[in-house]
């Protein structure tokens, strides 16, 4: 149990002391006790609810996390590469929470949020880059998998996402990175949510650029910042391969080589 500390104990004694000075309005034990409880509660660290999910038999546990996302909460999910913060794509407050948690006002850490989807059809709702047969085939051949595809954002993507006050320069072309992780837990949560979510990788600490891959470590470092943590154990530390598909000539550009094999991209027209 968290320790209240001497200051809180002394404060409590002063509230109950028979020598306490009474104001003109009189002494209200109930009121003063309530103030004490609030004082103690405010000093206790907030802790996220941790859900351990090992397989399909645990999917029923995800319902509370889904409700939290819908209510504007922040949840940490496991992908195949690392853990990630997620927020409702339509919640301005939730998106701002992720910026605040990661201190993303710092230009060194200001990377745009990506969109997690459960299917290619959902990607096509929020982007305009999957109309061609070759683009659809590329996504079908590589997803679910460790790839992030940067595509033009459609009008369905909320404006605050593509033109957030902290990231106008980053998203000047109104683009969005999209992912379908090869992680059944993510797919199941997104299906229950029936909506994509915005995500940003969880680092090992606020000042680190190393991806968090261990559920227990994530809980120790970040549980005071979020509402739910889905703990699925150890993850692969290699990040996703990032592919830019926004060029008008239909070519692709590899922005970052990661866990996704480049050979899978050879079928796409250059």
């Amino acid at each position: 149990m968290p320790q209240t500390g001497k200051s809180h104990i002394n404060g409590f004694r002063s509230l109950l002391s028979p020598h306490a000075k009474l104001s003109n309005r009189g002494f209200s034990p109930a009121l003063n006790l309530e103030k004490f409880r609030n004082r103690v509660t405010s000093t206790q660290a907030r802790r996220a609810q941790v859900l351990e999910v090992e397989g399909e038999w645990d999917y029923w546990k995800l319902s509370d996390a889904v409700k939290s996302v819908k209510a504007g909460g922040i949840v940490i999910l496991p992908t195949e590469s690392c853990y990630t913060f997620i927020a409702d794509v339509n919640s301005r407050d939730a998106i701002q929470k992720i910026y605040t948690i990661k201190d993303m006002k710092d230009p060194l850490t200001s990377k745009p949020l990506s969109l997690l989807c459960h299917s290619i059809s959902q990607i096509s709702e929020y982007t305009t880059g999957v109309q061609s047969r070759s683009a659809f085939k590329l996504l079908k051949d590589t997803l679910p998998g460790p790839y992030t595809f940067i595509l033009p954002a459609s009008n369905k993507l909320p404006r605050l996402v593509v033109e957030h006050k902290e990231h106008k320069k980053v998203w000047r072309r109104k683009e969005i990175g999209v992912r379908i992780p090869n992680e059944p837990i993510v797919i199941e949560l997104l299906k229950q949510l029936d909506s994509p979510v915005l995500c940003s990788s969880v680092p090992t600490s606020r000042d680190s650029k190393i991806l968090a891959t261990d559920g227990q470590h994530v809980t120790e470092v970040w549980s005071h910042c979020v509402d739910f943590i889905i703990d699925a154990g150890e993850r692969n530390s290699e990040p996703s391969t990032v592919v830019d598909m926004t060029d008008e000539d239909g070519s692709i550009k590899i922005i970052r080589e990661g866990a996704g094999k480049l050979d899978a991209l050879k079928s796409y027209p250059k």
Side-chain angles (χ1 to χ4, degrees):
M1 179 178 294
Q3 300 295 316
T4 57
K6 291 183 179 180
S7 61
H8 291 139
I9 294 174
N10 292 335
F12 180 64
R13 287 173 178 166
S14 68
L15 293 175
L16 301 182
S17 171
H19 304 293
K21 293 182 180 181
L22 303 182
S23 68
N24 293 334
R25 297 181 180 178
F27 177 75
S28 172
L31 178 60
N32 283 271
L33 285 172
E34 185 62 26
K35 288 182 178 180
F36 168 71
R37 293 191 188 100
N38 291 338
R39 188 190 310 166
V40 173
T41 301
S42 66
T43 64
Q44 296 175 349
R46 169 189 175 188
R47 303 288 291 181
Q49 184 172 340
V50 180
L51 307 175
E52 294 186 358
V53 179
E54 298 180 358
E56 293 182 11
W57 54 89
D58 286 330
Y59 284 173
W60 63 272
K61 299 178 181 179
L62 299 176
S63 60
D64 286 340
V66 169
K67 292 176 183 176
S68 178
V69 173
K70 289 182 177 180
I74 303 299
V75 172
I76 292 180
L77 274 182
T79 69
E80 73 271 59
S81 58
C82 67
Y83 282 82
T84 186
F85 298 106
I86 66 167
D88 183 355
V89 68
N90 295 299
S91 173
R92 179 185 296 271
D93 290 340
I95 294 168
Q96 185 59 56
K97 286 178 188 176
I98 292 183
Y99 291 135
T100 301
I101 290 171
K102 295 190 68 174
D103 193 24
M104 293 179 76
K105 291 183 179 180
D106 183 345
L108 295 178
T109 60
S110 293
K111 296 181 180 179
L113 307 186
S114 297
L115 198 68
L116 287 185
C117 299
H118 64 61
S119 63
I120 295 177
S121 62
Q122 196 172 63
I123 290 178
S124 65
E125 292 181 34
Y126 289 83
T127 68
T128 60
V130 197
Q131 284 82 359
S132 71
R133 180 177 298 180
S134 57
F136 177 82
K137 184 178 185 304
L138 177 61
L139 268 60
K140 186 177 180 181
D141 290 344
T142 55
L143 300 176
Y147 296 88
T148 299
F149 292 99
I150 302 175
L151 296 165
S154 72
N155 292 332
K156 189 167 183 178
L157 194 71
R159 187 177 179 86
L160 65 96
V161 175
V162 294
E163 293 188 5
H164 190 277
K165 60 184 178 181
E166 302 293 346
H167 295 281
K168 286 183 179 179
K169 292 183 179 179
V170 176
W171 285 328
R172 61 187 178 277
R173 290 185 293 174
K174 298 184 179 180
E175 305 151 357
I176 188 75
V178 295
R179 288 206 63 201
I180 304 179
N182 189 20
E183 173 49 67
I185 295 173
V186 176
I187 303 302
E188 177 62 25
L189 183 139
L190 292 175
K191 287 181 178 179
Q192 290 187 27
L193 188 62
D194 196 28
S195 173
V197 293
L198 285 170
C199 71
S200 182
S201 298
V202 176
T204 53
S205 68
R206 185 182 289 258
D207 300 324
S208 174
K209 294 184 179 181
I210 300 174
L211 300 179
T213 58
D214 180 70
Q216 183 175 351
H217 175 81
V218 167
T219 299
E220 292 172 356
V221 175
W222 297 103
S223 63
H224 66 289
C225 298
V226 301
D227 301 285
F228 279 85
I229 296 174
I230 312 299
D231 185 352
E234 191 76 20
R235 305 283 94 186
N236 173 20
S237 61
E238 194 171 7
S240 64
T241 294
V242 181
V243 183
D244 188 344
M245 297 179 64
T246 59
D247 285 347
E248 294 182 358
D249 63 2
S251 63
I252 63 174
K253 182 185 300 182
I254 309 301
I255 304 299
R256 180 183 70 196
E257 185 175 354
K261 303 303 181 184
L262 299 185
D263 289 346
L265 308 174
K266 290 181 178 180
S267 62
Y268 192 77
K270 300 298 182 183

